[in-house]
């Protein structure tokens, strides 16, 4: 997530590169070995069913529970009983706020019908998909809010069946906090399966009987590649790479805050890009120093430090317009605005996954579900052409039409003309038949 020479040529005014990687961006899925491994696994699981899932679970996750992967409601209750009360309250809060915002979104998506021309009525309906498979990651970090964004939002959309899976990351079983977050989001049961085998089991209908219409949720490179290869057979949310953060800041911003917010996202992984674009050379230099200082005391400095060292960037631009141009080129997943007039950027910017306006809004709030917006977002400049996961992702926007006899000529006659020109007699006859009936 940094500027190329071609990008720099598209920005008005001079851009000073204080810091930038000397390598190209890494694609979300770029390793042929990962691609080939996932392809072989999907074919094997499709042919071998749950027995193949079990073999991969034993080999890759150390699973010892046979083919019974299910954690039902009673088991969830037992395994989550010892979680701290303040954590339970925080997870309940995040689940409720995420669900509330999704319900607000759904309320603004309305069915309608109207007359296009006299006698021709067209309409639109929003229909939820039937079955969603939600993958709840639990690798280096359990990422507890993932359940809010996938299970909870699917429920708000009206999805009838949500199948949930999570790796056996806690003493050979599902992480109790992940189970609690899943239940708080509306899950009745969770299956303890990880990785490619989890995506395959949901897509092929090996768990609760019905193949998923969609599979969603974050994961490692193998999970992302499985989603890519399954796309078409099932729907997916986004093909996301490493988590990204960018900040636009001016001279009034706090270097301490900017540095902290960049490092907060850099700790997602050693390849997570973090970028600052600023109109102040002094601020850019101060942020560099502050990041070095904060890394010394950061428990995750091995991760965040590697991400900043290899993928961090700082650009100094001449004015707000140039800053906006840079960010619309980078199209970051998360974008914070720490400037005197953040609303100017709200009106001006067009390409980002989610926008955080002002010093009292931070990506960390959305990451943990406290603001209510979804954190499943496009990376790798995907925000140029798509949005992240939301309630709309689980809804099919479908259309319908009806016409009266009196409206036949307004539609049939132009169709006959076009079909004759295209030499498609079947279309012509379909329209001409109706013209003949009213003659």
């Amino acid at each position: 997530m940094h500027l190329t020479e071609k990008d720099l040529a598209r920005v008005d005014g001079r851009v000073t590169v204080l810091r930038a990687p000397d390598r190209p961006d890494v694609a979300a899925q770029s390793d042929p070995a990962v691609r080939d491994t996932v392809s072989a696994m999907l074919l094997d699981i499709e042919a071998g069913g749950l027995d193949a899932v079990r073999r991969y679970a034993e080999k890759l996750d150390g699973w010892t529970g046979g083919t019974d992967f299910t954690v039902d409601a009673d088991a969830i209750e037992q395994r989550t009983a010892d979680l701290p009360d303040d954590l339970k309250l925080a997870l309940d809060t995040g689940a409720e706020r995420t669900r509330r915002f999704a319900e607000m979104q759904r309320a603004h998506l309305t069915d309608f019908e109207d007359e296009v021309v006299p006698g021709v009525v067209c309409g639109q309906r929003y229909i939820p998909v039937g079955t969603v498979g939600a993958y709840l990651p639990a690798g280096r970090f359990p990422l507890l809010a993932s359940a809010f964004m996938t299970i909870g939002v699917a429920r708000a959309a009206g999805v009838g069946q949500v199948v949930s899976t999570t790796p056996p990351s806690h003493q050979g079983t599902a992480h109790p906090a992940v189970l609690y977050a899943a239940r708080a989001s509306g899950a009745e049961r969770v299956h303890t399966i990880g990785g490619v085998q989890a995506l395959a089991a949901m897509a092929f209908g090996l768990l609760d009987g019905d193949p998923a219409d969609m599979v969603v949720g974050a994961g490692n490179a193998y999970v992302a590649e499985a989603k890519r290869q399954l796309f078409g057979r099932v729907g997916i949310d986004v093909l996301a790479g490493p988590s990204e953060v960018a900040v636009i800041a001016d001279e009034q911003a706090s270097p301490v805050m900017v540095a902290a917010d960049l490092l907060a996202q850099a700790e997602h992984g050693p390849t997570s890009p973090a970028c600052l674009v600023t109109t102040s050379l002094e601020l850019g230099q101060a942020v560099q120093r502050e990041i070095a200082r904060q890394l010394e005391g950061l428990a995750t400095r091995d991760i965040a430090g590697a991400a900043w060292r290899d993928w961090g960037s700082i650009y100094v631009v001449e004015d707000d317009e140039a800053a906006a141009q840079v960010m619309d080129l980078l199209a970051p997943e998360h974008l914070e605005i720490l400037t005197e007039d953040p609303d100017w950027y709200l009106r001006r910017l067009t390409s980002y996954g989610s926008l955080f306006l002002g010093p009292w809004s931070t990506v960390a709030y959305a990451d943990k579900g406290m603001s209510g917006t979804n954190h499943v977002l496009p990376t790798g400049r995907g925000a140029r052409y798509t949005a992240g996961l939301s309630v709309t992702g689980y809804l099919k926007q479908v259309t319908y039409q009806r016409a009266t006899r009196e409206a036949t000529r307004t539609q049939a006659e132009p169709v006959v003309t076009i079909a004759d020109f295209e030499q498609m007699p079947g279309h012509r006859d379909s329209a001409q038949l109706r013209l003949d009936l009213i003659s």
Side-chain angles (χ1 to χ4, degrees):
M1 192 184 62
H2 57 283
L3 297 174
T4 66
E5 290 299 322
K6 289 183 178 179
D7 292 331
L8 290 168
R10 297 173 64 185
V11 179
D12 294 334
R14 181 169 53 87
V15 177
T16 301
V17 182
L18 279 190
R19 188 178 201 289
D22 58 358
R23 66 184 79 184
D25 284 336
V26 175
Q29 294 83 31
S30 60
D31 188 341
V34 171
R35 180 195 63 214
D36 295 344
T37 298
V38 170
S39 180
M41 290 179 68
L42 292 177
L43 289 171
D44 189 16
I45 293 170
E46 185 173 19
L50 209 54
D51 287 338
V53 171
R54 175 188 52 77
R55 283 192 282 102
Y56 285 114
E58 292 174 349
K59 176 182 178 181
L60 301 176
D61 293 331
W63 176 251
T64 58
T67 56
D68 184 10
F69 300 103
T70 306
V71 185
D72 61 19
D74 290 340
I76 292 176
E77 183 70 30
Q78 295 171 7
R79 296 187 191 182
T80 60
D82 293 334
L83 289 173
D85 289 340
D86 59 346
L87 176 61
K88 293 179 180 178
L89 177 60
L91 293 174
D92 287 336
T93 299
E96 192 277 330
R97 289 179 185 173
T98 305
R99 185 185 306 111
R100 184 190 308 170
F101 183 69
E103 289 170 347
M104 291 163 59
Q105 289 180 306
R106 180 65 184 92
H108 285 81
L109 300 172
T110 56
D111 298 352
F112 77 90
E113 69 173 31
D114 209 342
E115 197 170 56
V116 178
V117 295
V120 180
V121 172
C122 293
Q124 170 180 291
R125 294 183 61 208
Y126 287 95
I127 303 175
V129 300
T131 301
V132 166
Y135 184 74
L136 310 178
R140 181 188 293 117
F141 307 114
L143 299 180
L144 305 179
S146 290
F148 313 158
M149 312 299 167
T150 53
I151 301 171
V153 176
R155 293 295 190 197
V159 173
Q161 181 178 12
V162 181
V163 182
S164 310
T165 61
T166 190
S169 62
H170 182 77
Q171 300 175 352
T173 63
H175 197 293
V178 172
L179 293 175
Y180 191 93
R183 186 182 65 176
S185 302
E188 297 174 356
R189 66 183 67 84
V190 179
H191 302 278
T192 312
I193 315 174
V196 176
Q197 58 270 26
L199 275 292
M202 293 188 289
F204 300 151
L206 303 177
L207 300 177
D208 287 356
D210 295 324
D213 300 304
M214 289 183 67
V215 291
V216 299
N220 61 19
Y222 290 89
V223 170
E225 177 62 20
K227 287 164 64 176
R228 188 188 69 79
Q229 293 192 26
L230 288 166
F231 178 61
R233 179 166 186 152
V234 298
I236 63 172
D237 43 9
V238 292
L239 284 173
S243 183
E244 303 169 352
V245 65
V247 175
I248 296 177
D250 59 17
E251 68 282 352
Q252 59 83 48
S254 161
V256 175
M257 180 178 289
V258 174
D261 291 356
L262 291 171
L263 289 177
Q265 291 303 297
E267 77 175 357
H268 273 287
T271 59
S272 290
C275 174
L276 168 64
V277 174
T278 179
T279 53
S280 167
L281 175 62
E282 292 74 18
L283 178 82
Q285 293 170 334
V287 168
Q288 285 202 93
R289 295 190 295 270
E290 185 60 27
I291 285 177
R293 186 191 70 79
Q294 290 187 25
L295 277 172
E296 291 179 2
L298 191 65
T300 53
R301 61 182 173 273
D302 289 347
I303 301 168
W308 179 251
R309 180 192 68 228
D310 296 335
W311 301 105
S313 56
I314 299 177
Y315 300 100
V316 180
V317 296
E318 293 187 357
D319 54 27
D320 290 340
E321 176 59 30
Q325 291 175 14
V326 168
M327 282 306 175
D328 277 345
L329 288 168
L330 295 176
E333 179 187 20
H334 308 96
L335 175 54
E336 291 189 5
I337 309 298
L338 301 176
T339 65
E340 185 176 1
D341 185 9
D343 284 341
W344 182 88
Y345 284 97
L346 176 61
R347 296 187 297 270
R348 168 63 181 79
L349 290 165
T350 61
S351 298
Y352 52 84
S354 193
L355 193 62
F356 301 81
L357 299 164
W360 303 110
S361 182
T362 171
V363 177
Y365 292 166
D367 267 0
K368 307 307 176 188
M370 292 305 118
S371 63
T373 58
N374 207 299
H375 71 203
V376 181
L377 302 167
T379 62
R381 304 200 184 195
R384 293 179 298 113
Y385 54 83
T386 191
L389 183 62
S390 71
V391 73
T392 59
Y394 299 105
L395 297 170
K396 298 174 288 184
Q397 180 182 311
V398 298
T399 59
Y400 62 90
Q401 49 265 296
R402 64 169 65 90
T404 63
R405 183 178 189 276
E406 291 71 23
T408 298
R409 292 194 185 280
T410 63
Q411 298 191 91
E413 289 180 347
V415 167
V416 168
T417 299
I418 294 170
D420 279 343
F421 184 84
E422 293 173 336
Q423 299 182 44
M424 299 184 74
H427 284 71
R428 182 194 191 284
D429 292 348
S430 178
Q432 186 63 50
L433 170 66
R434 287 163 173 80
L435 285 172
D436 294 343
L437 289 172
I438 66 171
S439 298

